[in-house]
Amino acid sequence: MILGELEKQVLNQLWTTGEADAKQIHAALGEAQGRSLNTIQSTLDRLYKKQLLSRSKLGHAFIYRPRLDRSELIARLIRDITSDFVRQGSDSLMAAFVSLSADLGDEELDRLEALIRQHRSQSQEPS
Amino acid sequence: MIVGTAAHWLNLLSLSALLGFAVITLQSLTGPVFLRAIRRLAPAEQKWILLGWACMPWALTALVLLQGIALTPDAFGVAEGLLGSLHWHHADVFEFTGWHGWILSTAALWLSLRCGQFLFKHWRLMSQIRLLLSETVAGQNDGFRVLPTREAVAMTTGFVHSRILLSQGLLEQTSQNQQSVILAHEQAHLRARDNLLRLLLTLMTAVLPDLAAKPLISRFSLVTEQLADAAVKQHHDAASIAQTLVQVARLRHAQTLPGQAAFIARQQLTERVYELLEPTRPSRGLQLLVLLALLLMALSALSAMDALHHLFDLFLIHS
């Protein structure tokens, strides 16, 4: 998922107000920046198609609400980066403490922990 | 048809491309054996050998180009290079429909395609990272920034001015000692400029087919992680570092959605834990053997170039 500058601003606005229609967002963001109502409407539509907003019709206008909060958006971004890595076959361009695409089962993690315990007890034994 | 200096340059470029194809084919065929052989070397030794392997097609191609610059065809249009690696007739005539033209256009197409793919992936990743960075907040000290999310993540981003990102979820679910291990590991990546090296390696291996490039990049990623783990051993014992690795993997496992992650990094984590507990000893003998094999491969590719040239001349239109 990639977000443009205006998309981020619209999301921020909706996180603050909770819900709004295109005219309200335009009044808050668009007018000061010289953006048209059409630009704001298409930005809201793009965010809706990216499944970041939900909308319901009220009269002739759509009311938009954020589907994710900030924390959930970051989690989704991390998952997107992860799935890109998985597609590419490696964490090629970013160093992560534990590979972002790593997912070991409990059994394997238990086996590694047992190995670490064994190493600890061996190194504590008097030689 | 082009005649004169421009033809000389185009012929030279096509011969470089021919050598490039020869090296890439050799590397694709011998890559699995090479990767298996270097596993027994210490991570620091592996790192530079992997970079050398990735540089090989570019270095040999540059060598041929440099030779060609110094060459002047004689009165009969024959040019002869060092080691007999460059020897071609009609050096001052270039025919687009001849095999020189075909080789050159195929190489240009392949390079454009692979570089285009690389640039697109890089642009996409950087856009995502920029977005991620814009959502971070300052950490307890200048050493890192915090990602306000419940996911357990620690990473180093950026290639020149790199930054360490730790997630709120990770900070809440790990002890002070574990956080110190994680931070020291990420700082080791910063000092070694690992992200920049990974970028260079990915760029250099962009000319290789995916089947040959991916295992190479994956091995390099593992080796840089192992070296960062080893750097943490200056201040923490190996078992604590290994335990932190397993703990963070456990946190990530708990948060992974079903079907979200492929299990490609399973082997990597296991190898890191083993390397921490039982470090590989540097082996001068094996290292020399691998370097000798690389040198032999480079020489084989160089000597094969003239034979390939004549083989093409036998069956295809030259100019």
Side-chain angles (χ1 to χ4, degrees):
Chain A
M1 178 184 52
I2 296 166
L3 291 182
E5 191 53 41
L6 184 57
E7 290 174 327
K8 262 166 45 186
Q9 288 177 13
V10 169
L11 260 181
N12 272 321
Q13 180 67 21
L14 282 168
W15 281 331
T16 312
T17 58
E19 62 174 36
D21 63 13
K23 278 184 185 169
Q24 289 167 321
I25 305 254
H26 181 245
L29 297 175
E31 281 175 358
Q33 296 175 8
R35 297 184 196 271
S36 69
L37 181 61
N38 269 345
T39 309
I40 299 293
Q41 275 170 334
S42 53
T43 306
L44 283 164
D45 195 49
R46 275 202 306 277
L47 287 170
Y48 171 74
K49 283 176 181 160
K50 287 178 183 176
Q51 298 189 326
L52 295 173
L53 301 181
S54 63
R55 68 185 182 191
S56 54
K57 203 151 193 181
L58 191 72
H60 291 294
F62 280 117
I63 302 289
Y64 290 89
R65 290 172 203 87
R67 287 182 69 167
L68 308 173
D69 64 19
R70 193 182 293 273
S71 160
E72 288 165 339
L73 176 78
I74 294 171
R76 188 167 152 187
L77 266 174
I78 292 169
R79 283 181 199 141
D80 279 359
I81 293 173
T82 306
S83 58
D84 277 358
F85 282 149
V86 171
R87 271 198 298 276
Q88 286 166 34
S90 68
D91 297 41
S92 55
L93 292 176
M94 211 160 59
F97 181 65
V98 166
S99 169
L100 291 174
S101 51
D103 185 17
L104 279 81
D106 282 330
E107 269 179 36
E108 282 168 279
L109 293 169
D110 290 344
R111 193 178 59 79
L112 287 176
E113 274 189 336
L115 192 76
I116 295 165
R117 275 197 301 276
Q118 189 189 347
H119 176 84
R120 274 202 169 117
S121 60
Q122 278 173 356
S123 53
Q124 279 166 4
E125 273 175 16
S127 52
Chain B
M1 187 170 72
I2 295 178
V3 180
T5 313
H8 176 81
W9 277 100
L10 287 171
N11 277 323
L12 185 58
L13 279 174
S14 72
L15 283 178
S16 307
L18 179 65
L19 177 67
F21 280 128
V23 180
I24 288 169
T25 309
L26 260 176
Q27 284 192 325
S28 302
L29 292 173
T30 57
V33 179
F34 164 72
L35 287 176
R36 194 173 299 172
I38 65 165
R39 271 176 188 222
R40 288 163 61 195
L41 292 173
E45 296 167 339
Q46 286 187 47
K47 182 178 177 178
W48 297 109
I49 286 176
L50 282 165
L51 282 172
W53 173 267
C55 281
M56 196 188 285
W58 299 99
L60 292 180
T61 306
L63 188 72
V64 169
L65 278 175
L66 283 174
Q67 265 194 75
I69 291 168
L71 280 183
T72 316
D74 62 19
F76 304 101
V78 177
E80 189 90 40
L82 289 170
L83 306 168
S85 59
L86 259 188
H87 167 88
W88 85 97
H89 302 269
H90 315 295
D92 52 353
V93 178
F94 182 85
E95 182 68 62
F96 282 103
T97 52
W99 70 262
H100 278 280
W102 282 108
I103 288 274
L104 199 54
S105 46
T106 309
L109 198 68
W110 179 248
L111 267 180
S112 316
L113 186 77
R114 300 295 288 177
C115 290
Q117 276 180 338
F118 170 82
L119 287 174
F120 175 71
K121 281 180 194 170
H122 183 61
W123 167 80
R124 193 183 155 83
L125 178 68
M126 289 320 292
S127 306
Q128 289 169 328
I129 299 290
R130 264 197 298 275
L131 187 56
L132 210 55
L133 279 173
S134 71
E135 297 297 328
T136 59
V137 293
Q140 292 161 336
N141 58 50
D142 291 339
F144 65 92
R145 293 192 65 82
V146 178
L147 280 165
T149 175
R150 287 180 291 277
E151 297 262 331
V153 173
M155 61 175 102
T156 304
T157 64
F159 302 110
V160 183
H161 303 292
S162 301
R163 279 187 187 160
I164 296 170
L165 306 181
L166 305 183
S167 70
Q168 193 63 45
L170 184 88
L171 293 171
E172 284 167 4
Q173 296 172 86
T174 48
S175 66
Q176 283 284 332
N177 188 53
Q178 287 172 330
Q179 286 169 26
S180 159
V181 167
I182 295 166
L183 206 54
H185 173 97
E186 298 303 329
Q187 282 164 346
H189 279 307
L190 281 188
R191 282 195 301 276
R193 295 189 177 277
D194 282 337
N195 280 0
L196 188 64
L197 286 176
R198 285 180 191 205
L199 179 75
L200 286 175
L201 186 87
T202 312
L203 184 61
M204 283 190 295
T205 54
V207 289
L208 291 173
D210 279 349
L211 209 64
K214 279 180 181 175
L216 191 72
I217 295 168
S218 186
R219 189 77 210 165
F220 189 78
S221 300
L222 169 64
V223 164
T224 53
E225 295 301 338
Q226 287 175 327
L227 287 170
D229 290 339
V232 184
K233 277 164 94 174
Q234 289 175 354
H235 305 290
H236 298 269
D237 67 286
S240 297
I241 305 166
Q243 185 61 55
T244 308
L245 269 174
V246 174
Q247 165 74 7
V248 177
R250 222 180 255 289
L251 291 174
R252 285 209 57 75
H253 173 62
Q255 290 165 339
T256 304
L257 298 174
Q260 179 200 336
F263 297 149
I264 56 162
R266 175 181 296 170
Q267 190 61 30
Q268 288 219 352
L269 190 68
T270 309
E271 278 197 49
R272 279 173 70 186
V273 170
Y274 274 97
E275 180 63 32
L276 273 165
L277 303 180
E278 298 288 339
T280 315
R281 289 190 184 145
S283 160
R284 183 72 64 183
L286 186 61
Q287 194 182 3
L288 279 175
L289 208 64
V290 173
L291 287 173
L292 193 67
L294 290 189
L295 190 68
L296 269 175
M297 201 171 120
L299 286 173
S300 318
L302 271 175
S303 62
M305 198 176 76
D306 198 43
L308 277 174
H309 186 179
H310 286 294
L311 189 73
F312 283 135
D313 273 349
L314 272 180
F315 299 106
L316 300 165
I317 302 165
H318 184 271
S319 56

